[in-house]
Amino acid sequence: MSNPSKAWDAPQVRKWLERRFEAAKLDQADADRRGYEAQDDYDKAAAEEWVCRTLKSADCVDDQTAFAARIKELIAEDEYRVTGVYDDARFQRNVRGQLRKLAKMTKANEGFEKTLRYQ
């Protein structure tokens, strides 16, 4: 896309999605233990988990253009169905934010090498 000198690395993208998925689950558990004051953190982590779960096993990860198109499709959806979140509107907003972040990373083809839990 914007950086033709750097090839799309599908295994690295899958690894990044898997690591972020696991980190989001840990963040949800941590927020759940902290209680009421961490409900926003829980919904944010749930949104990241939803995005990563939706995309990590998709076939479109193998192609940068197809992956970007899938992210656009997800952004265009009206709502994202999930149970167990505290505030549906906040969750929807966080999902869209995560998808926009991922769209920027995909377009620039950078950031997928950062696989540490805290980013």
Side-chain angles (χ1 to χ4, degrees), residues 69-107:
R70 178 66 180 134
I71 292 169
K72 263 187 172 174
E73 289 172 7
L74 289 171
I75 290 172
E77 286 186 14
D78 289 333
E79 67 179 47
Y80 309 98
R81 300 241 182 234
V82 71
T83 58
V85 294
Y86 291 100
D87 184 343
D88 288 333
R90 182 173 51 209
F91 173 78
Q92 306 287 333
R93 190 172 50 250
N94 285 326
V95 167
R96 284 193 176 81
Q98 288 292 328
L99 288 169
R100 283 192 297 273
K101 171 188 165 187
L102 199 52
K104 287 179 186 177
M105 289 172 60
T106 301
K107 183 177 181 181

Side-chain angles (χ1 to χ4, degrees), residues 10-22:
Q12 181 66 40
V13 174
R14 286 185 196 283
K15 179 180 176 183
W16 185 89
L17 287 168
E18 183 62 40
R19 293 262 176 100
R20 294 309 310 153
F21 175 76
E22 294 300 325

Side-chain angles (χ1 to χ4, degrees), residues 28-89:
Q28 283 180 70
D30 181 54
D32 200 31
R33 279 191 297 276
R34 289 185 288 146
Y36 181 78
E37 74 276 353
Q39 288 181 353
D40 185 46
D41 293 339
Y42 183 91
D43 288 347
K44 186 175 181 180
E48 185 174 16
E49 179 192 1
W50 186 91
V51 168
C52 292
R53 183 179 355 94
T54 302
L55 293 171
K56 73 179 182 167
S57 61
D59 293 334
C60 62
V61 175
D62 296 329
D63 178 47
Q64 184 176 11
T65 306
F67 190 61
R70 178 66 180 134
I71 292 169
K72 263 187 172 174
E73 289 172 7
L74 289 171
I75 290 172
E77 286 186 14
D78 289 333
E79 67 179 47
Y80 309 98
R81 300 241 182 234
V82 71
T83 58
V85 294
Y86 291 100
D87 184 343
D88 288 333

